[in-house]
Amino acid sequence: MRVPLSWLREYVDLPVTESGRDVQAKLVSVGLEVETVERTGAGLKGPLVVGQVLTIEELEGFKKPIRFCTVDVGTANGTGEPQEIVCGARNFSVGDKVVVVLPGAVLPGDFAIAARKTYGKTSHGMICSTDELGMGDDGTHGIIVLPPEYEPGTDAIELLELVDEVLDIAVTPDRGYCLSMRGVARETAIAYGLPLRDPALLDVPAPNAYGYPVKVSDPIGCGTFTARTVTGLQPEARSPIWMQRRLQKAGMRPVSLAVDVTNYVMLELGQPLHAYDRSRVQGPIGVRRAEQGEKLTTLDGVKRVLDAQDLVITDDRGPIGLAGVMGGADTEIADHAEEAGTTEVVIEAAHFDAIAIARTARRHKLSSEASKRFERGVDPQAASAAAQRTVDLLVLLAGGTAEAGVTEITAPSAPHTIAMPADHPDRVAGVAYGRETVVRRLQQVGCDVYGQDELIVTVPSWRPDLAEPNDLAEEVIRLEGYENLPSTLPTPPSGRGLTDRQRLHRRVGRALAGAGYVEALSYPFIGDAVLDQLGLEKDDARRRTVTLVNPLSDEEPALRTTLLPGLLGALRRNDGRGSHDLALFETGLVFRPTGEETKAVRLPVDRRPTDEEIAGLDAALPRQPRRAAVVLAGAREQAGWWGKGRPATWADSVEAARTIAREAGVELTVRADRHAPWHPGRCAALYVTVDGEETLFGHAGELHPRVVKELHLPERTCAMEVELDVLERAVDGALQAPRISTFPVATQDVALVVDAGVPADAVEKALCEGAGDLLESLRLFDVFTGEQIGEGKKSLAYALRFRAADRTLTVDEASAARDSAVALAAGRTGAVLRGA
């Protein structure tokens, strides 16, 4: 809600010295979120005056039309002579009144005006448009043409109210009454402790039988409908400048007098209105639910197919408007520029059900100023006052005549009352306000309060959000000042903290960050296109997705089944912006439906769901395992004085998996595999032991070149993805800290020749088992192939470290352990000691 300060002062006598920043601070203190304070006309300096166009000479020989004008600016130029000005606009004629800025003036944006030679003429100033003065859109996209009653030389800065301050307030859904000057003025009056001049306090005639006929078939959807008629409107009448400027400052575009008046009253009182051209309405106006499949062309020119739940306004032909959202084109107010403008209008001021309007607006993806207010709650008792205010303005500004007939259909309703202990706000806030303060604050809000220890509070009609005692307590607390509440840190109960699962997830994230990976969080949505680019087979489990009913993007309508698309997208964007050496990681949930999920039931909101209902909802959810993934590209180690550096390879992605496994104290088994989207010759399957059985943990390696090309990734991009839930099941009790021996280590190196197809992992397992308890660690430090070894063979060189916890090992003991390890490796894998 944009609130011009000059308009706000009409309802509250603010001190003259109060600036927009001061008012902002006051409104924030009572709970309104004032996002910005805009100073319109900042830096503007005159002379800026009204001028009358005397002559127009068309200049020829230029690429675009240029006009040389003489303009009467009165005595504003100091001479009284016509001012010569060059202008390219064409939406004005001789005799029109325009806005002229003279040499020496400064326009917004520090644009200084001086006489200058252009197009072979000297231009002494400029004829201004709304954009050049920072006024906003007036629909003309050209020069400002003023009404004829203003004299040349009149100060246009004051006339156009160019200097002002506008507060931009973010209105939360529960404070719908603040989508009006009336509501904001009420909060301002409370904040300053000043009286409010309520613009809704008008003398309204009683309803009678002579008003325009209206039939409401759905009193639940439409609780109040007021209709008034104004005849004899002057079709050529235009909105006065003051009204146009207030609409522009509030963020709305002036259209025509009748439309501008309804928009102005909506901004003033918060009651949306609609004006129908009475000559285009056939028969009585009705309010009902639409018939399934009915059609309506709304004011935006879109032909809409209606739903049976839509609330519509009708005449004898059928729907003529979407109630509370947008009117229909068939009864649109004719513009004064048309051959026959509107001379008779029927004013609609109604109160519609908030839920019905919200659902209709979302169903048709049609959010309007009216629907925003209705779905947040509109004062049902303001309809008659808003209709009267509209009638008064049309009579005043368009020379119309208000017909005596007044139609008002109102469904029976009673004021909402709430019983509340007088000390309830004290107990909620932990502050002793006292009964007098509670009663005073509630009365300022507009409540009627009775009682002593037990208060009976009647809620004002414009506050539908006040439904229970806690709502009333909140009103007292916010008006007394949130900043005055004591800050007390809660004392947590002992013996609680992170679960083992949470600790493991945090350790994994810290370990990857410590290894040089940067965490990247991505949206959990994917589409079929990226699954095709990853090269997944049609029967791949990752293609079974959960599709959203209302996705953020039609291109990504499903929940992700793998973390790789989001991470690879982040890698591609960073690479495209010049960061070529990348190592990213992410941990998060993926969604893997099994096909056995049941249909979700809608849980009740008027009570706590039963355990069976909650279990039924859980059964409808897909499996949601937590995963970790990394992607790498470019250099893994940078070149410098310390060395040549090296590029990231598939081995780095495998090492990332080992890093994760070490955090859980789990041994990782690595085997060659073929699994999309990895390169078939550089893909590793990762296994851990769960309950004595090897279980697939994830995959790592270099991506397939086709995938790299499809996704526009850097060459040799590598990736790893593992399932942390599997890792958690592989954890065997608490992690055991290593026992540090004070005795020296004995190192033995062995080089074993095996067939090229024998996995190094199998050789390592045999060496470890054969070496026994004395083996502290084993490391593969060299792989060699060549003629010396023989065709189809490879040499694996290992460094074995032996250490005893209670003594220094002898050479014989270390050699015996090494020989035992080699013997077992020879028996299991056919390994032969190199050089033997």
Side-chain angles (χ1 to χ4, degrees):
M1 177 69 186
R2 290 173 56 84
V3 178
L5 189 58
S6 58
W7 194 357
L8 185 62
R9 290 181 183 274
E10 283 198 3
Y11 313 117
V12 183
D13 289 327
L14 295 172
V16 178
T17 57
E18 287 293 282
S19 67
R21 294 290 183 189
D22 298 328
V23 177
Q24 177 189 29
K26 285 286 189 178
L27 291 179
V28 169
S29 70
V30 294
L32 284 182
E33 184 180 349
V34 184
E35 293 187 328
T36 60
V37 178
E38 176 188 339
R39 293 189 61 196
T40 62
L44 178 63
K45 175 184 174 184
L48 183 73
V49 298
V50 175
Q52 183 172 19
V53 180
L54 301 178
T55 64
I56 297 177
E57 177 188 350
E58 300 288 345
L59 302 181
E60 299 180 352
F62 301 101
K63 293 183 178 180
K64 62 179 182 178
I66 298 296
R67 310 168 99 187
F68 181 66
C69 311
T70 59
V71 184
D72 178 12
V73 295
T75 60
N77 57 5
T79 64
E81 297 295 324
Q83 200 79 1
E84 297 179 340
I85 299 174
V86 175
C87 183
R90 308 191 66 78
N91 67 311
F92 63 95
S93 307
V94 172
D96 283 346
K97 300 290 179 66
V98 294
V99 178
V100 179
V101 59
L102 301 177
V106 179
L107 294 184
D110 199 25
F111 179 33
I113 303 299
R116 64 188 183 96
K117 191 168 184 179
T118 179
Y119 297 102
K121 300 285 187 179
T122 300
S123 181
H124 299 274
M126 187 168 69
I127 302 176
C128 298
S129 67
T130 55
D131 290 339
E132 289 159 345
L133 298 180
M135 294 172 56
D137 183 17
D138 66 348
T140 64
H141 303 290
I143 294 302
I144 303 170
V145 179
L146 299 171
E149 60 265 23
Y150 298 105
E151 292 297 324
T154 303
D155 184 2
I157 295 179
E158 183 177 350
L159 174 66
L160 299 176
E161 301 178 14
L162 296 178
V163 179
D164 201 352
E165 292 182 278
V166 180
L167 285 70
D168 193 352
I169 303 175
V171 179
T172 53
D174 61 327
R175 306 285 288 279
Y177 67 98
C178 284
L179 286 172
S180 67
M181 295 300 302
R182 181 193 185 200
V184 176
R186 183 180 303 279
E187 294 296 317
T188 306
I190 294 173
Y192 278 91
L194 296 172
L196 168 70
R197 287 189 290 274
D198 191 343
L201 296 180
L202 301 174
D203 291 330
V204 179
N208 52 52
Y210 310 110
Y212 197 92
V214 174
K215 180 180 180 181
V216 177
S217 302
D218 189 341
I220 295 177
C222 178
T224 301
F225 196 106
T226 300
R228 300 287 300 276
T229 304
V230 181
T231 61
L233 299 177
Q234 300 172 5
E236 69 279 1
R238 299 176 58 183
S239 303
I241 290 177
W242 61 267
M243 180 177 287
Q244 293 187 40
R245 291 297 295 130
R246 286 186 173 180
L247 290 173
Q248 287 174 330
K249 292 175 187 178
M252 304 187 75
R253 180 173 64 86
V255 179
S256 63
L257 178 58
V259 175
D260 292 349
V261 167
T262 58
N263 286 336
Y264 180 84
V265 175
M266 178 185 67
L267 292 173
E268 185 177 52
L269 301 182
Q271 169 67 54
L273 302 110
H274 191 72
Y276 299 95
D277 187 332
R278 189 164 79 166
S279 65
R280 299 186 179 187
V281 179
Q282 299 180 12
I285 292 176
V287 183
R288 62 170 171 82
R289 299 285 176 171
E291 296 178 5
Q292 188 69 37
E294 274 190 303
K295 294 180 174 60
L296 169 68
T297 301
T298 46
L299 288 174
D300 56 359
V302 177
K303 190 172 185 179
R304 304 182 185 276
V305 178
L306 304 180
D307 186 89
Q309 294 301 313
D310 292 335
L311 199 64
V312 293
I313 309 298
T314 65
D315 65 3
D316 288 345
R317 295 166 297 178
I320 59 174
L322 269 179
V325 181
M326 185 174 286
D330 289 343
T331 56
E332 182 179 5
I333 296 294
D335 188 82
H336 63 82
E338 299 182 13
E339 289 185 8
T342 299
T343 59
E344 299 181 348
V345 297
V346 178
I347 306 300
E348 167 207 305
H351 183 268
F352 300 111
D353 178 62
I355 295 176
I357 300 307
R359 289 177 176 171
T360 297
R362 284 156 180 74
R363 188 180 297 117
H364 294 280
K365 298 181 179 179
L366 183 61
S367 178
S368 64
E369 292 292 334
S371 67
K372 282 196 300 185
R373 286 164 172 80
F374 277 123
E375 65 188 35
R376 287 164 173 80
V378 169
D379 183 0
Q381 296 184 12
S384 57
Q388 182 63 45
R389 176 70 165 143
T390 304
V391 168
D392 292 344
L393 287 172
L394 288 175
V395 170
L396 174 67
L397 301 176
T401 301
E403 287 193 350
V406 178
T407 302
E408 186 170 317
I409 299 176
T410 303
S413 62
H416 180 55
T417 59
I418 302 171
M420 179 187 73
D423 64 346
H424 183 65
D426 301 22
R427 290 186 281 112
V428 171
V431 176
Y433 293 124
R435 180 188 176 281
E436 290 185 2
T437 299
V438 171
V439 171
R440 175 171 57 86
R441 289 303 190 185
L442 292 178
Q443 288 175 339
Q444 286 179 328
V445 170
C447 299
D448 290 330
V449 186
Y450 304 95
Q452 292 298 318
D453 294 337
E454 186 76 14
L455 302 180
I456 303 299
V457 182
T458 302
V459 174
S461 58
W462 59 85
R463 292 300 302 272
D465 58 303
L466 302 182
E468 56 177 316
N470 284 337
D471 298 328
L472 300 178
E474 182 184 358
E475 293 299 295
V476 175
I477 295 167
R478 75 175 178 88
L479 295 180
E480 283 295 304
Y482 290 122
E483 68 277 8
N484 296 324
L485 293 177
S487 298
T488 304
L489 290 176
T491 303
S494 60
R496 297 189 181 181
L498 298 177
T499 63
D500 292 338
R501 175 187 177 88
Q502 291 169 327
R503 289 193 180 96
L504 175 60
H505 293 165
R506 293 195 179 189
R507 287 204 310 273
V508 167
R510 285 195 294 266
L512 290 174
Y517 291 87
V518 176
E519 186 171 16
L521 302 178
S522 57
Y523 285 114
F525 310 116
I526 59 172
D528 289 338
V530 73
L531 299 178
D532 294 336
Q533 291 169 330
L534 291 175
L536 304 187
E537 298 292 339
K538 292 183 178 180
D539 59 349
D540 194 299
R542 288 168 289 180
R543 282 191 176 274
R544 291 199 298 269
T545 58
V546 177
T547 303
L548 300 175
V549 175
N550 188 22
L552 294 180
S553 169
D554 292 337
E555 296 179 357
E556 295 179 328
L559 293 173
R560 66 187 178 191
T561 55
T562 168
L563 298 179
L564 292 182
L567 268 182
L568 292 173
L571 184 139
R572 179 177 61 247
R573 285 190 297 273
N574 281 275
D575 181 72
R577 286 164 174 76
S579 298
H580 303 302
D581 303 324
L582 297 163
L584 309 177
F585 85 93
E586 180 177 10
T587 61
L589 299 178
V590 297
F591 305 86
R592 305 295 290 270
T594 61
E596 299 178 359
E597 292 82 9
T598 60
K599 185 177 180 180
V601 296
R602 188 181 296 274
L603 295 182
V605 295
D606 58 343
R607 59 174 174 82
R608 183 190 183 280
T610 64
D611 294 340
E612 291 76 15
E613 289 171 332
I614 295 175
L617 186 62
D618 287 339
L621 298 177
R623 192 170 67 90
Q624 301 177 45
R626 181 171 291 275
R627 294 196 162 203
V630 304
V631 292
L632 304 100
R636 186 70 179 110
E637 294 179 3
Q638 296 290 337
W641 58 265
W642 52 85
K644 295 181 180 180
R646 65 175 184 86
T649 67
W650 62 269
D652 292 300
S653 63
V654 174
E655 181 58 28
R658 293 188 188 278
T659 300
I660 292 175
R662 281 195 294 269
E663 288 303 313
V666 172
E667 184 178 353
L668 189 68
T669 301
V670 181
R671 293 197 181 95
D673 197 8
R674 299 172 67 91
H675 187 70
W678 283 275
H679 190 297
R682 302 188 182 102
C683 174
L686 312 171
Y687 294 88
V688 294
T689 301
V690 179
D691 297 330
E693 295 184 2
E694 278 194 345
T695 303
L696 184 65
F697 176 42
H699 287 86
E702 181 181 316
L703 294 181
H704 197 291
R706 190 183 302 114
V707 174
V708 170
K709 182 179 179 180
E710 288 286 338
L711 293 175
H712 306 288
L713 300 172
E715 291 185 1
R716 313 300 291 268
T717 297
C718 301
M720 177 276 295
E721 185 174 19
V722 295
E723 191 164 319
L724 296 181
D725 291 351
V726 173
L727 181 67
E728 184 184 359
R729 298 202 306 270
V731 176
D732 186 14
L735 285 177
Q736 298 295 323
R739 182 172 296 175
I740 306 301
S741 174
T742 59
F743 295 95
V745 66
T747 303
Q748 296 276 354
D749 293 345
V750 296
L752 301 177
V753 178
V754 296
D755 291 338
V758 175
D761 181 75
V763 178
E764 290 178 9
K765 285 188 174 180
L767 289 173
C768 290
E769 186 176 340
D773 295 338
L774 294 180
L775 182 66
E776 182 179 81
S777 66
L778 177 147
R779 179 174 62 89
L780 175 67
F781 66 86
D782 184 54
V783 179
F784 178 76
T785 58
E787 296 179 359
Q788 301 92 323
I789 304 301
E791 186 177 353
K793 300 288 186 179
K794 62 182 176 183
S795 172
L796 304 176
Y798 292 93
L800 290 75
R801 291 168 58 91
F802 299 98
R803 196 194 309 258
D806 56 351
R807 68 188 185 282
T808 300
L809 292 178
T810 64
V811 174
D812 292 340
E813 288 176 313
S815 297
R818 179 202 63 186
D819 294 342
S820 177
V822 171
L824 187 59
R828 287 189 178 178
T829 65
V832 177
L833 195 62
R834 185 175 175 182

